[in-house]
Amino acid sequence: MDRMDGLGDIVKPGKVDPSWFYSRLLAMGSRDNRPVLVPLSFSLPAIVYVRGPTDLPTMFMPLDTLRAMSRTFNKTDKNGALSSVGFSPTWSADFLTSTALLFGMHLRPGRNGMPTWDENGLRKTVDFVTSWVADISGALPTAPSPPATCSTSRGRGTSCWQTLRGPFSDSRHSRTSSDCRKRSAATWIFRWLSQDGLIPVLDDVLFAGIQRSSRDKSGARAFLQWFCSLSVQQTLITVNQSRRIGVFGITNGFSALKGINEKDLPMKYPLLLGHIPQENLFSFPETLPDSWLRVRDVIDPWIVATARGQETETLQKKLEEWQNAQKK
């Protein structure tokens, strides 16, 4: 953001109206209440069922409910070993990050590019994952691996974690609801991962900005103003569908413009009807350190190893070791 031009001349009523955006996303790209980056898209965590139970919650899938429902689908072979698991929290790094966000870990920038966090939130996350892993495998260090995709999980698991860009990138799911009902591939259902009625927005929020060193700032501003208009995003969704491009929503995610998600996406993706959460139901991430994508490769394995009783060092110590290794 330090190298970016301000966007106050286009993000204003009459051009790109600030009221179109999810306010927290716009604030994440602002400095001193002045827009520097405009949000384009974001992802939400979904629990996808290929052969779904009939007693699923209406829209949300609370963590405790997911755990309880998954346990009933665990299976053992004739030797008493686990052969199938309904769901494991260790299958996805993004699931662990989402869980940490929901438990109030509040990851944010600290010193020297390292993150800082709420220790109580970290402990709640580790305790929850530890308890779940023990519940699945009787505290054994391993459990059956996840299915490669939801579509191949028949006979192995009943659910998997993913964003909806995967299923909805298949053009078969962006048809009319009657078309969807005719296709066995469209029988999957989903619920949003949640805790206390909140759904975590993942850390892959996509922003756009204009560098101060840009040779064509006017052209860049014209493009951003064009791309962030309601009519253009409506057209992009239609083109994605009609040409079967295989891109979900806007830049393969939910749009940062509320109206596009609430009104336009359900018209093109009927499985979203009645499943678009209101803004107040989202838990948005903190601004993360520059090194976040690399730091995650330390944090997520640490949570899994700690949950399995295989880690003795603290997260702080693990990150310090990682940082020292980067300097060599």
Side-chain angles (χ1 to χ4, degrees):
M1 291 179 70
D2 292 337
R3 296 191 291 271
M4 298 294 177
D5 241 12
L7 298 175
D9 56 336
I10 62 171
V11 182
K12 62 181 182 181
K15 290 191 175 181
V16 179
D17 198 310
S19 67
W20 295 346
F21 293 93
Y22 291 94
S23 58
R24 176 59 187 149
L25 290 182
L26 190 61
M28 288 171 64
S30 299
R31 180 165 289 175
D32 299 325
N33 293 321
R34 292 179 293 182
V36 178
L37 303 171
V38 289
L40 302 182
S41 65
F42 63 94
S43 302
L44 297 175
I47 302 299
V48 179
Y49 286 84
V50 176
R51 56 180 196 274
T54 58
D55 56 346
L56 288 176
T58 303
M59 183 187 297
F60 300 147
M61 177 56 73
L63 286 166
D64 286 334
T65 303
L66 175 62
R67 173 178 167 172
M69 293 187 69
S70 298
R71 191 173 190 272
T72 63
F73 292 100
N74 294 349
K75 297 179 181 178
T76 56
D77 59 24
K78 61 182 180 181
N79 298 317
L82 276 170
S83 60
S84 177
V85 171
F87 185 85
S88 171
T90 62
W91 283 351
S92 166
D94 281 337
F95 181 87
L96 293 174
T97 305
S98 299
T99 301
L101 177 62
L102 289 171
F103 277 117
M105 190 172 169
H106 297 303
L107 288 155
R108 53 198 181 275
R111 293 183 177 181
N112 302 320
M114 290 290 98
T116 185
W117 57 83
D118 180 273
E119 193 65 32
N120 185 52
L122 173 62
R123 179 44 51 193
K124 287 181 178 178
T125 302
V126 172
D127 288 348
F128 181 78
V129 176
T130 300
S131 176
W132 193 336
V133 169
D135 196 30
I136 289 174
S137 57
L140 292 174
T142 60
S145 300
T149 66
C150 285
S151 61
T152 62
S153 65
R154 298 182 186 277
R156 297 200 53 177
T158 61
S159 60
C160 69
W161 182 103
Q162 60 179 275
T163 66
L164 286 193
R165 67 165 63 101
F168 279 125
S169 293
D170 185 339
S171 61
R172 291 174 295 184
H173 300 304
S174 58
R175 296 169 182 253
T176 66
S177 49
S178 60
D179 285 338
C180 283
R181 283 195 296 269
K182 294 176 183 177
R183 293 174 176 269
S184 59
T187 57
W188 58 269
I189 55 179
F190 71 93
R191 295 295 183 265
W192 302 120
L193 184 71
S194 67
Q195 178 79 352
D196 298 327
L198 292 177
I199 303 166
V201 172
L202 299 182
D203 58 8
D204 60 352
V205 182
L206 182 64
F207 290 89
I210 302 172
Q211 288 189 323
R212 289 199 184 98
S213 59
S214 172
R215 297 181 180 180
D216 188 7
K217 293 181 182 179
S218 61
R221 279 175 164 73
F223 172 78
L224 287 181
Q225 185 174 339
W226 171 84
F227 189 87
C228 292
S229 67
L230 296 171
S231 61
V232 166
Q233 293 208 3
Q234 290 165 351
T235 300
L236 288 173
I237 294 172
T238 299
V239 169
N240 288 343
Q241 180 192 42
S242 62
R243 297 186 182 180
R244 301 186 182 184
I245 295 175
V247 173
F248 167 63
I250 300 298
T251 66
N252 227 14
F254 287 95
S255 174
L257 306 182
K258 292 180 288 186
I260 296 296
N261 296 332
E262 294 172 358
K263 299 177 182 178
D264 297 287
L265 279 181
M267 294 177 64
K268 302 299 182 183
Y269 303 92
L271 290 175
L272 287 175
L273 285 169
H275 288 83
I276 299 293
Q278 296 295 309
E279 181 175 11
N280 65 327
L281 300 179
F282 291 142
S283 176
F284 292 95
E286 305 281 343
T287 299
L288 295 164
D290 293 339
S291 59
W292 173 243
L293 292 179
R294 289 175 292 137
V295 168
R296 277 191 61 176
D297 291 338
V298 179
I299 294 176
D300 293 327
W302 179 88
I303 293 176
V304 173
T306 302
R308 291 176 173 170
Q310 300 168 335
E311 182 60 71
T312 58
E313 293 184 330
T314 65
L315 178 57
Q316 185 67 47
K317 180 67 174 177
K318 206 73 174 179
L319 285 171
E320 288 174 357
E321 292 175 354
W322 176 84
Q323 188 176 37
N324 290 335
Q326 304 304 303
K327 297 177 182 178
K328 295 180 181 179

PDB file of all heavy atoms in Angstrom, residues 111-137:
ATOM      1  N   ARG A 111       6.139  -7.651  14.724  1.00  0.00           N
ATOM      2  CA  ARG A 111       7.466  -7.131  14.414  1.00  0.00           C
ATOM      3  C   ARG A 111       8.167  -7.987  13.362  1.00  0.00           C
ATOM      4  O   ARG A 111       7.960  -9.189  13.280  1.00  0.00           O
ATOM      5  CB  ARG A 111       8.318  -7.095  15.682  1.00  0.00           C
ATOM      6  CG  ARG A 111       7.833  -6.089  16.730  1.00  0.00           C
ATOM      7  CD  ARG A 111       8.788  -6.093  17.914  1.00  0.00           C
ATOM      8  NE  ARG A 111       8.412  -5.096  18.902  1.00  0.00           N
ATOM      9  CZ  ARG A 111       9.084  -4.879  20.033  1.00  0.00           C
ATOM     10  NH1 ARG A 111      10.162  -5.617  20.298  1.00  0.00           N
ATOM     11  NH2 ARG A 111       8.684  -3.955  20.883  1.00  0.00           N
ATOM     12  N   ASN A 112       9.008  -7.337  12.589  1.00  0.00           N
ATOM     13  CA  ASN A 112       9.881  -8.017  11.622  1.00  0.00           C
ATOM     14  C   ASN A 112       9.122  -8.905  10.646  1.00  0.00           C
ATOM     15  O   ASN A 112       9.616  -9.956  10.224  1.00  0.00           O
ATOM     16  CB  ASN A 112      10.934  -8.853  12.361  1.00  0.00           C
ATOM     17  CG  ASN A 112      11.785  -8.029  13.302  1.00  0.00           C
ATOM     18  OD1 ASN A 112      12.174  -6.900  12.973  1.00  0.00           O
ATOM     19  ND2 ASN A 112      12.065  -8.560  14.477  1.00  0.00           N
ATOM     20  N   GLY A 113       7.898  -8.491  10.299  1.00  0.00           N
ATOM     21  CA  GLY A 113       7.136  -9.245   9.316  1.00  0.00           C
ATOM     22  C   GLY A 113       6.482 -10.497   9.850  1.00  0.00           C
ATOM     23  O   GLY A 113       5.852 -11.234   9.104  1.00  0.00           O
ATOM     24  N   MET A 114       6.643 -10.776  11.151  1.00  0.00           N
ATOM     25  CA  MET A 114       6.035 -11.945  11.760  1.00  0.00           C
ATOM     26  C   MET A 114       4.631 -11.601  12.281  1.00  0.00           C
ATOM     27  O   MET A 114       4.360 -10.454  12.633  1.00  0.00           O
ATOM     28  CB  MET A 114       6.891 -12.459  12.922  1.00  0.00           C
ATOM     29  CG  MET A 114       8.200 -13.091  12.506  1.00  0.00           C
ATOM     30  SD  MET A 114       7.985 -14.689  11.662  1.00  0.00           S
ATOM     31  CE  MET A 114       8.085 -14.178   9.962  1.00  0.00           C
ATOM     32  N   PRO A 115       3.741 -12.597  12.338  1.00  0.00           N
ATOM     33  CA  PRO A 115       2.403 -12.318  12.846  1.00  0.00           C
ATOM     34  C   PRO A 115       2.373 -12.294  14.370  1.00  0.00           C
ATOM     35  O   PRO A 115       3.249 -12.850  15.038  1.00  0.00           O
ATOM     36  CB  PRO A 115       1.581 -13.494  12.309  1.00  0.00           C
ATOM     37  CG  PRO A 115       2.560 -14.616  12.246  1.00  0.00           C
ATOM     38  CD  PRO A 115       3.882 -13.985  11.869  1.00  0.00           C
ATOM     39  N   THR A 116       1.377 -11.641  14.909  1.00  0.00           N
ATOM     40  CA  THR A 116       1.049 -11.749  16.321  1.00  0.00           C
ATOM     41  C   THR A 116      -0.375 -12.255  16.421  1.00  0.00           C
ATOM     42  O   THR A 116      -1.101 -12.249  15.427  1.00  0.00           O
ATOM     43  CB  THR A 116       1.217 -10.389  17.032  1.00  0.00           C
ATOM     44  OG1 THR A 116       1.000 -10.561  18.436  1.00  0.00           O
ATOM     45  CG2 THR A 116       0.231  -9.362  16.475  1.00  0.00           C
ATOM     46  N   TRP A 117      -0.778 -12.715  17.582  1.00  0.00           N
ATOM     47  CA  TRP A 117      -2.087 -13.342  17.696  1.00  0.00           C
ATOM     48  C   TRP A 117      -2.578 -13.294  19.132  1.00  0.00           C
ATOM     49  O   TRP A 117      -1.827 -12.997  20.070  1.00  0.00           O
ATOM     50  CB  TRP A 117      -2.025 -14.804  17.230  1.00  0.00           C
ATOM     51  CG  TRP A 117      -1.012 -15.626  17.978  1.00  0.00           C
ATOM     52  CD1 TRP A 117      -1.146 -16.242  19.184  1.00  0.00           C
ATOM     53  CD2 TRP A 117       0.335 -15.872  17.561  1.00  0.00           C
ATOM     54  NE1 TRP A 117       0.004 -16.866  19.545  1.00  0.00           N
ATOM     55  CE2 TRP A 117       0.937 -16.666  18.576  1.00  0.00           C
ATOM     56  CE3 TRP A 117       1.087 -15.525  16.437  1.00  0.00           C
ATOM     57  CZ2 TRP A 117       2.262 -17.097  18.486  1.00  0.00           C
ATOM     58  CZ3 TRP A 117       2.383 -15.958  16.353  1.00  0.00           C
ATOM     59  CH2 TRP A 117       2.961 -16.732  17.359  1.00  0.00           C
ATOM     60  N   ASP A 118      -3.849 -13.606  19.288  1.00  0.00           N
ATOM     61  CA  ASP A 118      -4.453 -13.729  20.602  1.00  0.00           C
ATOM     62  C   ASP A 118      -4.194 -15.146  21.118  1.00  0.00           C
ATOM     63  O   ASP A 118      -4.633 -16.120  20.509  1.00  0.00           O
ATOM     64  CB  ASP A 118      -5.965 -13.452  20.509  1.00  0.00           C
ATOM     65  CG  ASP A 118      -6.642 -13.564  21.859  1.00  0.00           C
ATOM     66  OD1 ASP A 118      -7.051 -14.681  22.236  1.00  0.00           O
ATOM     67  OD2 ASP A 118      -6.768 -12.525  22.536  1.00  0.00           O
ATOM     68  N   GLU A 119      -3.468 -15.243  22.219  1.00  0.00           N
ATOM     69  CA  GLU A 119      -3.054 -16.556  22.715  1.00  0.00           C
ATOM     70  C   GLU A 119      -4.243 -17.412  23.144  1.00  0.00           C
ATOM     71  O   GLU A 119      -4.243 -18.633  22.964  1.00  0.00           O
ATOM     72  CB  GLU A 119      -2.096 -16.381  23.899  1.00  0.00           C
ATOM     73  CG  GLU A 119      -1.365 -17.648  24.301  1.00  0.00           C
ATOM     74  CD  GLU A 119      -0.415 -18.162  23.221  1.00  0.00           C
ATOM     75  OE1 GLU A 119       0.161 -17.339  22.472  1.00  0.00           O
ATOM     76  OE2 GLU A 119      -0.264 -19.402  23.121  1.00  0.00           O
ATOM     77  N   ASN A 120      -5.273 -16.780  23.685  1.00  0.00           N
ATOM     78  CA  ASN A 120      -6.456 -17.527  24.097  1.00  0.00           C
ATOM     79  C   ASN A 120      -7.156 -18.142  22.877  1.00  0.00           C
ATOM     80  O   ASN A 120      -7.608 -19.293  22.920  1.00  0.00           O
ATOM     81  CB  ASN A 120      -7.424 -16.614  24.847  1.00  0.00           C
ATOM     82  CG  ASN A 120      -8.613 -17.359  25.411  1.00  0.00           C
ATOM     83  OD1 ASN A 120      -8.462 -18.359  26.102  1.00  0.00           O
ATOM     84  ND2 ASN A 120      -9.809 -16.863  25.118  1.00  0.00           N
ATOM     85  N   GLY A 121      -7.222 -17.370  21.779  1.00  0.00           N
ATOM     86  CA  GLY A 121      -7.817 -17.892  20.545  1.00  0.00           C
ATOM     87  C   GLY A 121      -7.011 -19.044  19.979  1.00  0.00           C
ATOM     88  O   GLY A 121      -7.568 -20.025  19.467  1.00  0.00           O
ATOM     89  N   LEU A 122      -5.671 -18.950  20.061  1.00  0.00           N
ATOM     90  CA  LEU A 122      -4.815 -20.036  19.589  1.00  0.00           C
ATOM     91  C   LEU A 122      -5.058 -21.290  20.417  1.00  0.00           C
ATOM     92  O   LEU A 122      -5.184 -22.398  19.877  1.00  0.00           O
ATOM     93  CB  LEU A 122      -3.349 -19.622  19.673  1.00  0.00           C
ATOM     94  CG  LEU A 122      -2.318 -20.717  19.365  1.00  0.00           C
ATOM     95  CD1 LEU A 122      -2.467 -21.216  17.937  1.00  0.00           C
ATOM     96  CD2 LEU A 122      -0.901 -20.208  19.606  1.00  0.00           C
ATOM     97  N   ARG A 123      -5.136 -21.129  21.732  1.00  0.00           N
ATOM     98  CA  ARG A 123      -5.343 -22.290  22.601  1.00  0.00           C
ATOM     99  C   ARG A 123      -6.688 -22.952  22.326  1.00  0.00           C
ATOM    100  O   ARG A 123      -6.797 -24.182  22.280  1.00  0.00           O
ATOM    101  CB  ARG A 123      -5.237 -21.855  24.057  1.00  0.00           C
ATOM    102  CG  ARG A 123      -5.460 -22.943  25.107  1.00  0.00           C
ATOM    103  CD  ARG A 123      -4.761 -24.242  24.799  1.00  0.00           C
ATOM    104  NE  ARG A 123      -3.343 -24.075  24.482  1.00  0.00           N
ATOM    105  CZ  ARG A 123      -2.597 -25.022  23.946  1.00  0.00           C
ATOM    106  NH1 ARG A 123      -3.132 -26.197  23.645  1.00  0.00           N
ATOM    107  NH2 ARG A 123      -1.323 -24.805  23.691  1.00  0.00           N
ATOM    108  N   LYS A 124      -7.737 -22.154  22.126  1.00  0.00           N
ATOM    109  CA  LYS A 124      -9.052 -22.716  21.813  1.00  0.00           C
ATOM    110  C   LYS A 124      -9.004 -23.508  20.509  1.00  0.00           C
ATOM    111  O   LYS A 124      -9.604 -24.586  20.398  1.00  0.00           O
ATOM    112  CB  LYS A 124     -10.094 -21.602  21.708  1.00  0.00           C
ATOM    113  CG  LYS A 124     -10.503 -20.981  23.032  1.00  0.00           C
ATOM    114  CD  LYS A 124     -11.561 -19.915  22.814  1.00  0.00           C
ATOM    115  CE  LYS A 124     -12.023 -19.307  24.127  1.00  0.00           C
ATOM    116  NZ  LYS A 124     -13.029 -18.225  23.906  1.00  0.00           N
ATOM    117  N   THR A 125      -8.278 -22.980  19.526  1.00  0.00           N
ATOM    118  CA  THR A 125      -8.155 -23.665  18.238  1.00  0.00           C
ATOM    119  C   THR A 125      -7.456 -25.006  18.396  1.00  0.00           C
ATOM    120  O   THR A 125      -7.930 -26.042  17.909  1.00  0.00           O
ATOM    121  CB  THR A 125      -7.377 -22.779  17.237  1.00  0.00           C
ATOM    122  OG1 THR A 125      -8.046 -21.518  17.083  1.00  0.00           O
ATOM    123  CG2 THR A 125      -7.267 -23.457  15.883  1.00  0.00           C
ATOM    124  N   VAL A 126      -6.311 -24.991  19.084  1.00  0.00           N
ATOM    125  CA  VAL A 126      -5.539 -26.225  19.268  1.00  0.00           C
ATOM    126  C   VAL A 126      -6.337 -27.245  20.077  1.00  0.00           C
ATOM    127  O   VAL A 126      -6.370 -28.440  19.741  1.00  0.00           O
ATOM    128  CB  VAL A 126      -4.197 -25.916  19.950  1.00  0.00           C
ATOM    129  CG1 VAL A 126      -3.475 -27.212  20.317  1.00  0.00           C
ATOM    130  CG2 VAL A 126      -3.319 -25.081  19.025  1.00  0.00           C
ATOM    131  N   ASP A 127      -7.000 -26.798  21.136  1.00  0.00           N
ATOM    132  CA  ASP A 127      -7.778 -27.718  21.960  1.00  0.00           C
ATOM    133  C   ASP A 127      -8.917 -28.348  21.161  1.00  0.00           C
ATOM    134  O   ASP A 127      -9.203 -29.548  21.298  1.00  0.00           O
ATOM    135  CB  ASP A 127      -8.356 -26.984  23.179  1.00  0.00           C
ATOM    136  CG  ASP A 127      -7.284 -26.646  24.215  1.00  0.00           C
ATOM    137  OD1 ASP A 127      -6.163 -27.177  24.106  1.00  0.00           O
ATOM    138  OD2 ASP A 127      -7.576 -25.846  25.123  1.00  0.00           O
ATOM    139  N   PHE A 128      -9.566 -27.539  20.314  1.00  0.00           N
ATOM    140  CA  PHE A 128     -10.674 -28.055  19.517  1.00  0.00           C
ATOM    141  C   PHE A 128     -10.191 -29.103  18.519  1.00  0.00           C
ATOM    142  O   PHE A 128     -10.777 -30.183  18.391  1.00  0.00           O
ATOM    143  CB  PHE A 128     -11.361 -26.901  18.775  1.00  0.00           C
ATOM    144  CG  PHE A 128     -12.531 -27.324  17.935  1.00  0.00           C
ATOM    145  CD1 PHE A 128     -13.759 -27.602  18.513  1.00  0.00           C
ATOM    146  CD2 PHE A 128     -12.409 -27.443  16.554  1.00  0.00           C
ATOM    147  CE1 PHE A 128     -14.840 -28.001  17.744  1.00  0.00           C
ATOM    148  CE2 PHE A 128     -13.484 -27.843  15.776  1.00  0.00           C
ATOM    149  CZ  PHE A 128     -14.704 -28.115  16.377  1.00  0.00           C
ATOM    150  N   VAL A 129      -9.094 -28.800  17.809  1.00  0.00           N
ATOM    151  CA  VAL A 129      -8.558 -29.742  16.825  1.00  0.00           C
ATOM    152  C   VAL A 129      -8.029 -30.993  17.523  1.00  0.00           C
ATOM    153  O   VAL A 129      -8.225 -32.122  17.050  1.00  0.00           O
ATOM    154  CB  VAL A 129      -7.464 -29.070  15.971  1.00  0.00           C
ATOM    155  CG1 VAL A 129      -6.834 -30.075  15.011  1.00  0.00           C
ATOM    156  CG2 VAL A 129      -8.045 -27.895  15.187  1.00  0.00           C
ATOM    157  N   THR A 130      -7.355 -30.815  18.667  1.00  0.00           N
ATOM    158  CA  THR A 130      -6.825 -31.957  19.422  1.00  0.00           C
ATOM    159  C   THR A 130      -7.947 -32.908  19.826  1.00  0.00           C
ATOM    160  O   THR A 130      -7.853 -34.129  19.657  1.00  0.00           O
ATOM    161  CB  THR A 130      -6.079 -31.477  20.671  1.00  0.00           C
ATOM    162  OG1 THR A 130      -4.994 -30.635  20.285  1.00  0.00           O
ATOM    163  CG2 THR A 130      -5.533 -32.656  21.473  1.00  0.00           C
ATOM    164  N   SER A 131      -9.015 -32.341  20.363  1.00  0.00           N
ATOM    165  CA  SER A 131     -10.151 -33.145  20.801  1.00  0.00           C
ATOM    166  C   SER A 131     -10.791 -33.873  19.630  1.00  0.00           C
ATOM    167  O   SER A 131     -11.168 -35.048  19.737  1.00  0.00           O
ATOM    168  CB  SER A 131     -11.179 -32.255  21.504  1.00  0.00           C
ATOM    169  OG  SER A 131     -12.330 -32.979  21.858  1.00  0.00           O
ATOM    170  N   TRP A 132     -10.890 -33.187  18.487  1.00  0.00           N
ATOM    171  CA  TRP A 132     -11.508 -33.800  17.311  1.00  0.00           C
ATOM    172  C   TRP A 132     -10.664 -34.958  16.787  1.00  0.00           C
ATOM    173  O   TRP A 132     -11.165 -36.028  16.453  1.00  0.00           O
ATOM    174  CB  TRP A 132     -11.711 -32.739  16.236  1.00  0.00           C
ATOM    175  CG  TRP A 132     -12.597 -33.150  15.097  1.00  0.00           C
ATOM    176  CD1 TRP A 132     -12.868 -34.403  14.664  1.00  0.00           C
ATOM    177  CD2 TRP A 132     -13.336 -32.275  14.238  1.00  0.00           C
ATOM    178  NE1 TRP A 132     -13.718 -34.380  13.587  1.00  0.00           N
ATOM    179  CE2 TRP A 132     -14.021 -33.077  13.303  1.00  0.00           C
ATOM    180  CE3 TRP A 132     -13.473 -30.902  14.157  1.00  0.00           C
ATOM    181  CZ2 TRP A 132     -14.822 -32.551  12.308  1.00  0.00           C
ATOM    182  CZ3 TRP A 132     -14.277 -30.360  13.164  1.00  0.00           C
ATOM    183  CH2 TRP A 132     -14.963 -31.181  12.256  1.00  0.00           C
ATOM    184  N   VAL A 133      -9.337 -34.733  16.696  1.00  0.00           N
ATOM    185  CA  VAL A 133      -8.448 -35.783  16.205  1.00  0.00           C
ATOM    186  C   VAL A 133      -8.527 -37.004  17.114  1.00  0.00           C
ATOM    187  O   VAL A 133      -8.587 -38.153  16.643  1.00  0.00           O
ATOM    188  CB  VAL A 133      -7.002 -35.264  16.119  1.00  0.00           C
ATOM    189  CG1 VAL A 133      -6.024 -36.415  15.884  1.00  0.00           C
ATOM    190  CG2 VAL A 133      -6.883 -34.236  14.989  1.00  0.00           C
ATOM    191  N   ALA A 134      -8.545 -36.791  18.425  1.00  0.00           N
ATOM    192  CA  ALA A 134      -8.657 -37.903  19.366  1.00  0.00           C
ATOM    193  C   ALA A 134      -9.997 -38.616  19.205  1.00  0.00           C
ATOM    194  O   ALA A 134     -10.079 -39.846  19.295  1.00  0.00           O
ATOM    195  CB  ALA A 134      -8.491 -37.401  20.791  1.00  0.00           C
ATOM    196  N   ASP A 135     -11.032 -37.842  18.944  1.00  0.00           N
ATOM    197  CA  ASP A 135     -12.370 -38.408  18.765  1.00  0.00           C
ATOM    198  C   ASP A 135     -12.426 -39.291  17.526  1.00  0.00           C
ATOM    199  O   ASP A 135     -13.086 -40.331  17.498  1.00  0.00           O
ATOM    200  CB  ASP A 135     -13.385 -37.267  18.640  1.00  0.00           C
ATOM    201  CG  ASP A 135     -14.810 -37.746  18.846  1.00  0.00           C
ATOM    202  OD1 ASP A 135     -15.002 -38.716  19.591  1.00  0.00           O
ATOM    203  OD2 ASP A 135     -15.728 -37.145  18.268  1.00  0.00           O
ATOM    204  N   ILE A 136     -11.711 -38.879  16.480  1.00  0.00           N
ATOM    205  CA  ILE A 136     -11.711 -39.639  15.220  1.00  0.00           C
ATOM    206  C   ILE A 136     -10.896 -40.922  15.354  1.00  0.00           C
ATOM    207  O   ILE A 136     -11.341 -42.007  15.010  1.00  0.00           O
ATOM    208  CB  ILE A 136     -11.114 -38.790  14.073  1.00  0.00           C
ATOM    209  CG1 ILE A 136     -12.070 -37.669  13.682  1.00  0.00           C
ATOM    210  CG2 ILE A 136     -10.819 -39.665  12.860  1.00  0.00           C
ATOM    211  CD1 ILE A 136     -11.478 -36.726  12.655  1.00  0.00           C
ATOM    212  N   SER A 137      -9.686 -40.792  15.870  1.00  0.00           N
ATOM    213  CA  SER A 137      -8.736 -41.895  15.756  1.00  0.00           C
ATOM    214  C   SER A 137      -8.302 -42.475  17.090  1.00  0.00           C
ATOM    215  O   SER A 137      -7.344 -43.241  17.137  1.00  0.00           O
ATOM    216  CB  SER A 137      -7.494 -41.417  14.991  1.00  0.00           C
ATOM    217  OG  SER A 137      -6.928 -40.295  15.648  1.00  0.00           O
TER     218      SER A 137
END
